[in-house]
Amino acid sequence: MSYWLFYWPGLQGRGEFVRLALEEAGAPYRDVAREADGADAMTALLSGPGPHPPFAPPVLRDGDVLVAQTAAILLYLGPRHGLVGAGEAERIWTHQIQLTIADAVTEVHDTHHPVATGLYYEDQKPEAARRAEDVCRSRIPKFLGWFERVLAANPSGPDWLAGDRLSYADLSLFQLVAGLRYAFPKAAARALDATPHVAALHDRVSERPRIAAYLASDRRQPFNEQGIFRRYPELDFG
Amino acid sequence: MSYWLFYWPGLQGRGEFVRLALEEAGAPYRDVAREADGADAMTALLSGPGPHPPFAPPVLRDGDVLVAQTAAILLYLGPRHGLVGAGEAERIWTHQIQLTIADAVTEVHDTHHPVATGLYYEDQKPEAARRAEDVCRSRIPKFLGWFERVLAANPSGPDWLAGDRLSYADLSLFQLVAGLRYAFPKAAARALDATPHVAALHDRVSERPRIAAYLASDRRQPFNEQGIFRRYPELDFG
């Protein structure tokens, strides 16, 4: 049986964290966003009946089960596909890392939407410049510095965030690093110079056979200015 | 054995979502923030050694286990104290709701800190007014409307968010409603007029014997202008 992934068409967005997990797992999935009526299917799902209405995409459908919220989807997929270690302590630690990645993603999103998601970037450019300066100069180094510390403190070595094997959190950190490099080339380069374990983890993930194949395929949409990570040079405070 | 809860002294903050769970469970816990050296203990924990450094508080210590990230702490506590239903489907749904509450909490926080957490509110007042107007007029009604829909769609009835019993998500929604009423009395009243199941859930939680006792005790700190929910009348767009 195949998963269904619902997300908005035309952007990686938060759906990409789920795609990376499904791709690494080699799990069959239907990416509804890439079908002709993907946007309509998404809208219908959000407004449809059922006991578990999603607040927002991404949404994973697994038979009768609907799961929304990126971190909850990964919590659901992890044990099914070997994307998290065994044992409660390692699973809760992996999830804690994932929630911190989610916080970083929200802060990056709000660099271009500090006032309202419902407004265009062009309607909040002065506010965006102030927020982006803080995110580039303070928050990105702080988040990446914490991931560096987590990797350095891992008793199994600095290859992976939790334990001695890849987890969904590693896939998400890869995506965060890739997105930061796209959106803020100067600020990301500076922060990554100080966090070599994080930079190496990005490369290690990108070389996984299934991830490398995915990144080279047309299933991997390019970054663009509709997603979370947007390249507005005036917001790159390097 | 007693839990230790680490958080900043002098405010409810995100620690309050954990306190409510511990109080409802009747679980013994040491609230380190309320001890004489609480702030120093918090700082030492964040910078200390160990394989699982917290990024930010709240942090729960259970023997040798450290868990940070509010939603991860509740994921950990839920099954131990009957604060979540049995079965994976109900647990992942409860967690999905909790993550949506967390998103709402972040958006409320950013009404007074839309530019940078490291700056004072006074240094970002124009940006705060723009963001708060959107949050009051659009986001609070949207979030509370979704919780209303979840309650109305619950096959077990509209008393609780998930299943036929109280979960940690109900405790957190109580706190969100209480905080919104403190911070935005006009906007919250308007939104809650349209979401009667949500308003009733708030009251139902507040009448739980252990929660009522907690709220009447000096362990419940008052809302204030150091927390997430701050009463700045100029930000209450009713």
Side-chain angles (χ1 to χ4, degrees):
Chain A
M1 193 172 60
S2 179
Y3 295 111
W4 292 26
L5 173 63
F6 292 82
Y7 198 67
W8 299 120
L11 65 159
Q12 294 184 4
R14 287 182 171 85
E16 198 65 13
F17 299 95
V18 181
R19 288 190 188 99
L20 287 165
L22 293 168
E23 293 282 347
E24 170 65 24
Y29 70 104
R30 179 175 162 189
D31 194 342
V32 180
R34 297 180 62 85
E35 301 178 3
D37 60 349
D40 291 344
M42 185 70 253
T43 305
L45 183 73
L46 292 178
S47 59
H52 295 174
F55 181 78
V59 184
L60 185 79
R61 180 170 156 182
D62 179 20
D64 290 339
V65 176
L66 275 187
V67 188
Q69 281 281 358
T70 310
I73 296 171
L74 296 172
L75 187 71
Y76 181 85
L77 289 174
R80 284 176 168 71
H81 297 286
L83 294 174
V84 69
E88 187 196 16
E90 189 163 326
R91 289 186 181 181
I92 204 92
W93 172 234
T94 304
H95 196 58
Q96 178 181 330
I97 297 168
Q98 186 66 40
L99 292 174
T100 307
I101 294 171
D103 286 346
V105 168
T106 295
E107 294 198 22
V108 167
H109 170 272
D110 285 4
T111 57
H112 47 79
H113 278 79
V115 171
T117 300
L119 295 176
Y120 291 108
Y121 165 59
E122 287 70 22
D123 297 322
Q124 46 196 315
K125 287 180 76 167
E127 294 89 347
R130 284 196 77 194
R131 177 142 191 163
E133 182 169 5
D134 181 72
V135 167
C136 287
R137 300 240 158 99
S138 170
R139 303 297 290 171
I140 290 172
K142 178 168 177 167
F143 277 111
L144 294 189
W146 184 73
F147 298 122
E148 182 77 7
R149 191 175 155 210
V150 166
L151 289 164
N154 185 344
S156 301
D159 281 3
W160 308 113
L161 287 162
D164 60 359
R165 55 190 288 178
L166 173 136
S167 73
Y168 60 76
D170 297 302
L171 298 171
S172 291
L173 183 55
F174 157 80
Q175 174 68 4
L176 176 62
V177 169
L180 290 174
R181 281 184 169 149
Y182 174 79
F184 309 109
K186 289 185 287 183
R190 179 184 293 218
L192 287 162
D193 276 350
T195 54
H197 290 320
V198 174
L201 181 142
H202 168 277
D203 296 349
R204 194 172 298 114
V205 169
S206 72
E207 291 159 4
R208 306 274 294 184
R210 286 173 172 160
I211 296 298
Y214 170 63
L215 296 177
S217 76
D218 68 358
R219 300 192 302 286
R220 171 77 164 185
Q221 301 169 83
F223 287 106
N224 63 31
E225 281 55 60
Q226 280 79 51
I228 293 163
F229 302 101
R230 303 188 185 187
R231 181 171 288 177
Y232 297 132
E234 65 273 22
L235 300 185
D236 183 13
F237 291 86
Chain B
M1 192 175 58
S2 180
Y3 295 111
W4 292 25
L5 173 63
F6 293 83
Y7 198 67
W8 300 120
L11 65 158
Q12 293 183 4
R14 287 182 171 85
E16 198 66 12
F17 298 95
V18 181
R19 289 190 187 99
L20 286 165
L22 293 168
E23 294 281 346
E24 170 65 24
Y29 70 104
R30 178 175 163 189
D31 194 342
V32 180
R34 296 179 62 85
E35 300 177 3
D37 60 349
D40 291 344
M42 184 71 252
T43 304
L45 183 72
L46 292 178
S47 59
H52 295 173
F55 182 77
V59 184
L60 185 78
R61 180 171 157 183
D62 179 20
D64 290 338
V65 176
L66 274 189
V67 188
Q69 281 281 357
T70 309
I73 296 171
L74 296 172
L75 187 72
Y76 181 85
L77 289 174
R80 285 176 167 71
H81 297 286
L83 293 175
V84 70
E88 187 197 16
E90 189 164 325
R91 289 186 180 180
I92 204 92
W93 171 233
T94 305
H95 195 59
Q96 179 181 332
I97 297 168
Q98 186 65 40
L99 292 174
T100 307
I101 294 171
D103 286 346
V105 167
T106 295
E107 294 198 22
V108 167
H109 170 273
D110 285 3
T111 57
H112 47 79
H113 279 79
V115 171
T117 301
L119 294 175
Y120 292 108
Y121 166 59
E122 287 69 21
D123 296 324
Q124 46 196 315
K125 286 180 78 168
E127 295 89 347
R130 285 196 78 194
R131 177 140 191 166
E133 182 169 5
D134 181 71
V135 167
C136 287
R137 300 239 159 100
S138 169
R139 301 300 289 172
I140 291 172
K142 178 166 177 168
F143 277 110
L144 295 189
W146 184 74
F147 299 122
E148 182 77 7
R149 191 174 156 212
V150 167
L151 289 165
N154 185 343
S156 301
D159 280 4
W160 308 113
L161 287 162
D164 60 359
R165 56 189 288 179
L166 173 136
S167 73
Y168 61 75
D170 297 301
L171 298 170
S172 292
L173 184 55
F174 156 81
Q175 174 68 4
L176 176 62
V177 169
L180 291 174
R181 281 183 169 149
Y182 174 79
F184 310 108
K186 290 185 288 184
R190 178 183 293 218
L192 287 163
D193 276 350
T195 54
H197 290 321
V198 175
L201 181 142
H202 167 277
D203 296 349
R204 193 172 299 116
V205 169
S206 72
E207 292 159 4
R208 306 275 292 185
R210 286 172 173 161
I211 297 297
Y214 170 63
L215 296 176
S217 76
D218 67 358
R219 299 192 303 285
R220 171 76 164 185
Q221 302 169 83
F223 287 106
N224 62 32
E225 280 57 58
Q226 280 79 53
I228 293 163
F229 302 102
R230 304 188 184 187
R231 181 171 286 177
Y232 297 131
E234 65 274 20
L235 300 186
D236 183 13
F237 290 86

